[in-house]
Amino acid sequence: MSVFAGYLLTRLQVNSQSTLIALSPFWITCSTLKIDTINTENSYQKARCNDHSEARFYSDHEAQKNTKWIIYFESGGGCSTQADCVKRFTSSKILMSSGWLDAYPEIEGHDVLSTDEENPFRDYNHVYLPYCSSDMYVGMNEWIDSQEHFNEEEGNYLFAGRYIVEGLLVKLQSIPDVEFTEIVLAGSSAGGIGVMNHIKIIKEAVFVNQNVRVRGIVDSSWFINFEDNFLQLWNSSSANTLTQYQTFPHDECGPTNDYGGMPCCFRADCLEHHGVLNDIELLFIQSKNDIYLLQNSL
């Protein structure tokens, strides 16, 4: 695992009702990202949010026309138990559905998604992936149109984060005359966990033998288990995550006894221990002021 230079990624709150799909404006010159659906009408249909709505993404590839890409996975925590997901859907529906994105056909890209001269990724094609699966991008629940529709009262939530990422790559590869020489995956918190779990698959399976350089930026996703405080959050009810998400994108992502029965997927140190991050270029960013880390360490 090697390291390269990167920048801190954060989200920008707009008001109490919604969150702008953009990164905090450290730079002046922004990119303009346009919305698109991941699923295609006649083929890929598995990229679905918790409420079964179709996952979306934003990109400026039509304007940039580059062979280098940077894809940012949005953060946003998660849920696994019925009670937690119902509460999350009530308070944070924007993290479980794509329906509200219709009001934002275009957004501004900041930080690593900007076109500012200070951004080392300014000339790249910029892609923003909104988070709507509540599963750290590893769930593999399959949506079947003829058999199931979302019912808020029943709470039949889908966890299809793995398919959302897979579908995004399928969609990008289907762009006419598209080329890839480099892909940078970036994400914070839940998005960073998604990067750690998908980067090896993308490097060794999606772009195998294609001479594509794949690198990653992981922000605020290496959770520190200070005096077992982090593992204490992984109680018997939370263990239901393994059943709800059904399966994971690679074999090493199941529960491990040496990590308190917690899925290896959610622990950077566990993924490193099991070799998932071997031969991968990754930059890890941690903040000493990270509220989530502090509340589990004090």
Side-chain angles (χ1 to χ4, degrees):
M1 183 172 62
S2 57
V3 169
F4 65 99
Y7 290 83
L8 182 64
L9 311 174
T10 56
R11 297 175 63 194
L12 175 63
Q13 297 294 329
V14 179
N15 53 49
S16 60
Q17 302 298 320
S18 63
T19 304
L20 182 65
I21 307 298
L23 301 182
S24 58
F26 293 159
W27 292 311
I28 297 174
T29 309
C30 308
S31 61
T32 300
L33 311 179
K34 297 182 178 180
I35 198 170
D36 201 351
T37 57
I38 293 176
N39 291 331
T40 54
E41 184 175 349
N42 298 319
S43 56
Y44 203 94
Q45 284 290 317
K46 296 188 291 185
R48 300 274 169 173
C49 302
N50 291 132
D51 68 345
H52 304 208
S53 58
E54 293 189 88
R56 310 284 189 91
F57 72 99
Y58 289 87
S59 174
D60 65 356
H61 69 271
E62 294 181 352
Q64 295 291 89
K65 300 185 184 302
N66 205 320
T67 62
K68 297 181 179 181
W69 299 71
I70 181 165
I71 303 172
Y72 178 77
F73 294 21
E74 186 186 19
S75 61
C79 68
S80 58
T81 67
Q82 182 74 5
D84 287 345
C85 289
V86 169
K87 184 185 298 184
R88 180 178 172 88
F89 196 78
T90 301
S91 63
S92 304
K93 186 177 179 179
I94 60 174
L95 293 173
M96 302 180 75
S97 175
S98 66
W100 69 283
L101 295 176
D102 290 334
Y104 300 92
E106 292 186 356
I107 61 170
E108 293 181 346
H110 300 272
D111 284 8
V112 293
L113 301 184
S114 80
T115 52
D116 192 272
E117 62 180 11
E118 298 296 325
N119 178 17
F121 307 108
R122 60 186 175 277
D123 295 327
Y124 287 48
N125 297 331
H126 306 106
V127 178
Y128 193 98
L129 181 61
Y131 183 42
C132 67
S133 58
S134 306
D135 58 2
M136 271 54 81
Y137 297 91
V138 301
M140 296 180 70
N141 293 166
E142 289 204 39
W143 177 82
I144 303 176
D145 182 29
S146 60
Q147 297 183 13
E148 185 177 40
H149 297 280
F150 179 65
N151 186 312
E152 185 173 348
E153 294 183 359
E154 294 180 3
N156 55 331
Y157 302 103
L158 274 179
F159 300 96
R162 165 73 177 105
Y163 294 130
I164 290 175
V165 178
E166 178 183 80
L168 174 62
L169 269 295
V170 170
K171 180 77 172 198
L172 296 181
Q173 289 177 298
S174 70
I175 297 172
D177 301 319
V178 70
E179 291 185 50
F180 299 90
T181 57
E182 180 182 341
I183 289 185
V184 176
L185 303 180
S188 56
S189 193
I193 292 175
V195 170
M196 289 189 293
N197 282 283
H198 284 276
I199 191 166
K200 190 170 186 176
I201 297 171
I202 291 174
K203 178 182 179 181
E204 298 183 355
V206 178
F207 291 106
V208 63
N209 300 323
Q210 294 188 40
N211 196 31
V212 178
R213 186 181 186 184
V214 180
R215 304 189 286 169
I217 302 174
V218 177
D219 171 31
S220 304
S221 305
W222 191 304
F223 298 110
I224 300 170
N225 186 35
F226 180 73
E227 296 184 349
D228 282 341
N229 284 336
F230 188 69
L231 284 181
Q232 288 175 17
L233 299 177
W234 192 253
N235 52 38
S236 58
S237 62
S238 297
N240 190 41
T241 299
L242 293 176
T243 302
Q244 292 285 357
Y245 296 172
Q246 289 190 350
T247 187
F248 297 93
H250 48 75
D251 294 339
E252 297 88 346
C253 215
T256 58
N257 292 330
D258 52 334
Y259 286 87
M262 182 178 182
C264 195
C265 284
F266 305 153
R267 291 282 300 269
D269 50 347
C270 184
L271 291 173
E272 173 69 7
H273 175 73
H274 286 273
V276 177
L277 306 180
N278 287 354
D279 301 318
I280 301 294
E281 289 184 83
L282 278 176
L283 168 69
F284 284 89
I285 302 172
Q286 293 293 102
S287 170
K288 66 179 181 180
N289 298 317
D290 188 305
I291 296 176
Y292 190 84
L293 286 178
L294 288 175
Q295 72 176 1
N296 296 318
S297 303
L298 298 178

